[in-house]
Amino acid sequence: MIKNLNDINDLSGEQVERLIALAEDILADRAKYQDSLKHRTLATLFFEPSTRTRLSFEAAMLEMGGNVIGFADPNSSSATKGESVADTVRTVACYSDIIVMRHPKEGAPIAASLRSPVPIINAGDGGHHHPTQTLADLFTIRREKGRLDGLTIGLCGDLKFGRTVHSLIQAMSRYDGVRFALVSPEELRAPDYILEGALRRPNVSYQETDSLESVVPELDALYMTRVQRERFFNEADYVRLKDSYILTLKTLERAKRDLTILHPLPRVNEIAVEVDDDPRARYFQQMFYGKVIRKALLAAMLGVSV
Ligand code: CP
């Protein structure tokens, strides 16, 4: 049983495998699960904007027969009157069975889980973690490549503030023979806790570079990310760095024919629209898989036997 999901490391490798297997079954037979979460209520508390994470959780709950309450804008909640996250969660737990929360402050979902009588799922906390995006990424990679081990994965863009990158490195570093190419400007390199933690494992190797072109021929999967404007302290730095990498068809000429191109989305400018029609572009499929694996997660966390 999964109590709370704050960090992808809250899940064992075995639990991830079970979620992927359940997601596969949901994909194969959606009708079988249409009433699985009947009479259960999900609350979505989004203190930061979201399109995919919030709506995919809501769609997942509704498609499994459950109910959804919540807010997409904290300005419409009593947070504007100064109510703490802990009190908000205690309140919402009276009206729901499980809470999905996104917050700009790192650690807010953990703080919430200490006060909450119902399970909390972290839907992104500042520049820290985004474990359910990682589940979507793992499910997509497994479906596209047929495996999670022995892969060379390029992560490109804002590796400093990109929380999806931090969670994905932590998750993929559990698999044998994984090689990472970390592509970023010097100022946006992955934080030390990632370099000194997950990437130091003996089964993992990695290189850091500022050149996407130099590594693209080696890659099995390429995970592009946007530069996280909302995490910068000044606009001038963002403007200088925002277009550091733009993936084009020209860049892909030297890539493997079976490369899988991923992006957690939203995209700003880092993948040219011309790439969308290339069969290697799988980021819209990845977004769909996100809903399916979130269905599996909700069912597992609510203890539904399916
Ligand atoms: N990938 C992701 O977290 O997208 P949203 O910000 O739209 O939820």
Side-chain angles (χ1 to χ4, degrees):
M1 185 85 171
I2 306 160
K3 173 82 175 76
N4 298 294
L5 180 59
N6 175 61
D7 175 337
I8 195 68
N9 288 327
D10 292 341
L11 299 176
S12 66
E14 200 179 305
Q15 284 173 316
V16 170
E17 286 304 315
R18 282 206 293 269
L19 288 174
I20 289 177
L22 179 54
E24 283 291 351
D25 202 50
I26 291 169
L27 205 49
D29 188 356
R30 175 173 157 173
K32 181 173 143 191
Y33 295 91
Q34 66 189 4
D35 291 324
S36 297
L37 299 180
K38 208 169 174 180
H39 307 306
R40 306 296 185 101
T41 298
L42 165 73
T44 54
L45 310 186
F46 277 67
F47 295 86
E48 261 195 349
S50 166
T51 297
R52 275 147 294 274
T53 310
R54 183 175 65 84
L55 294 178
S56 65
F57 263 116
E58 294 187 0
M61 194 69 184
L62 294 170
E63 287 178 17
M64 296 179 91
N67 310 302
V68 177
I69 60 171
F71 55 78
D73 177 1
N75 291 324
S76 68
S77 80
S78 287
T80 54
K81 301 172 202 162
E83 186 165 51
S84 67
V85 168
D87 285 359
T88 301
V89 159
R90 283 175 106 154
T91 307
V92 174
C94 297
Y95 319 137
S96 61
D97 301 294
I98 190 163
I99 294 173
V100 175
M101 189 175 108
R102 172 171 289 186
H103 201 282
K105 285 203 178 123
E106 282 91 354
I110 286 194
S113 67
L114 297 176
R115 290 287 173 189
S116 175
V118 304
I120 301 279
I121 299 174
N122 178 5
D125 59 325
H128 211 196
H129 298 297
H130 194 346
T132 69
Q133 179 62 48
T134 304
L135 289 173
D137 300 340
L138 295 176
F139 186 39
T140 307
I141 295 169
R142 170 64 70 75
R143 295 211 101 232
E144 295 293 324
K145 311 309 287 185
R147 67 189 199 281
L148 289 166
D149 53 6
L151 295 171
T152 300
I153 301 175
L155 297 135
C156 177
D158 184 348
L159 309 188
K160 178 178 180 182
F161 296 119
R163 58 195 175 196
T164 64
V165 168
H166 304 159
S167 293
L168 183 57
I169 290 174
Q170 287 180 322
M172 286 301 300
S173 66
R174 293 168 168 179
Y175 296 91
D176 284 337
V178 173
R179 294 173 296 278
F180 293 104
L182 306 179
V183 184
S184 72
E186 177 71 24
E187 292 141 286
L188 297 180
R189 287 172 54 177
D192 286 345
Y193 83 92
I194 295 290
L195 296 176
E196 286 160 15
L199 292 172
R200 288 277 188 264
R201 291 187 180 166
N203 56 312
V204 171
S205 63
Y206 74 96
Q207 58 172 308
E208 293 183 284
T209 176
D210 61 6
S211 166
L212 177 58
E213 283 70 20
S214 70
V215 297
V216 88
E218 304 162 26
L219 303 178
D220 299 307
L222 171 58
Y223 194 90
M224 295 297 295
T225 61
R226 85 186 156 91
V227 174
Q228 304 269 308
R229 180 181 203 157
E230 63 274 34
R231 316 262 176 244
F232 275 74
F233 292 113
N234 76 69
E235 181 71 5
D237 284 346
Y238 168 72
V239 169
R240 182 168 51 80
L241 293 166
K242 71 183 171 71
D243 290 331
S244 299
Y245 304 98
I246 301 175
L247 185 68
T248 62
L249 290 176
K250 178 92 185 126
T251 326
L252 291 171
E253 279 174 7
R254 297 175 57 243
K256 289 182 180 173
R257 294 184 73 83
D258 67 346
L259 173 72
T260 298
I261 304 167
L262 303 172
H263 191 308
L265 303 176
R267 157 180 58 184
V268 182
N269 202 28
E270 55 283 347
I271 301 181
V273 172
E274 65 183 16
V275 174
D276 295 358
D277 293 329
D278 188 296
R280 292 170 289 189
R282 305 302 291 153
Y283 29 91
F284 294 118
Q285 191 64 30
Q286 176 186 7
M287 181 179 66
F288 168 73
Y289 288 146
K291 180 186 73 174
V292 182
I293 197 92
R294 286 179 177 113
K295 282 184 169 182
L297 180 68
L298 288 170
M301 290 185 73
L302 287 168
V304 172
S305 56
V306 281

